[in-house]
Amino acid sequence: MSRARRSMDWGFPRWRPYGSSQEATNVRICDRHGCDEPGDCPAPKAPNSRDRWYFCQKHAAEYNSKWDYFEGLEKAEKEERARAERQESAGYAESAHYGWAGSGDGSRSADEMRALEVLGLEADADFNTVKKAYRARAKEVHPDVKPGDAEAARQFQLIQTSYEVLRAAEERREWRG
């Protein structure tokens, strides 16, 4: 006759010891050939496709390193999709954990990149270069220099907005240290 054993199960799940569960855990393995790590990072198989690969973190980073989300779309479609995504995520703070890094290394947002493009600068331009370019471009199309020219006024407003975006980004970088 078998003797009754003392149970460690007190009837409440969190009091059970780790690994005491009897059922098997389903773990999806990385889709990269030869990798045995858990595949918990979904990645699209093709642009605009619902099919997904499931990679481990290392292989997902490798897969996404040269990924172009807007590949195959026309310029108007790209802008529309980017605008829709900004609108959807407007309530969330933009991830800024790269804020300590220097410019030109992926730390600039899409808005900053557009502002640099308006000023005719490269992605790695420092703020002194931005100031110089802003002043030079503003002098060319300032409403006092070209009175009554609607296109010049629009260009000046665009340049001024671009400078404000870059100035605010620089202030955020300086504030973080």
Side-chain angles (χ1 to χ4, degrees), residues 5-124:
R5 289 191 216 132
R6 174 182 257 176
S7 171
M8 294 303 291
D9 186 358
W10 293 82
F12 198 75
R14 71 176 177 167
W15 290 340
R16 293 183 183 135
Y18 290 111
S20 67
S21 140
Q22 298 295 322
E23 60 275 351
T25 304
N26 291 333
V27 176
R28 186 180 191 117
I29 302 298
C30 179
D31 285 336
R32 184 66 170 259
H33 179 70
C35 182
D36 294 331
E37 297 292 318
D40 51 3
C41 299
K45 288 187 176 183
N48 305 316
S49 170
R50 294 206 180 276
D51 294 336
R52 301 278 187 246
W53 295 107
Y54 287 88
F55 294 122
C56 63
Q57 251 184 344
K58 176 184 162 198
H59 291 121
E62 180 182 310
Y63 180 79
N64 290 331
S65 65
K66 294 183 178 77
W67 182 261
D68 182 11
Y69 183 71
F70 300 110
E71 183 180 342
L73 298 178
E74 295 177 10
K75 186 175 182 180
E77 289 176 313
K78 288 180 186 180
E79 291 172 359
E80 175 61 28
R81 183 170 289 177
R83 186 193 61 74
E85 288 181 7
R86 276 195 308 273
Q87 187 175 7
E88 286 175 8
S89 64
Y92 299 99
E94 186 172 327
S95 175
H97 68 275
Y98 291 117
W100 55 268
S103 59
D105 58 359
S107 63
R108 293 201 188 265
S109 68
D111 291 333
E112 290 174 70
M113 294 303 292
R114 281 192 293 275
L116 287 168
E117 187 177 316
V118 166
L119 294 175
L121 297 173
E122 295 294 321
D124 60 349

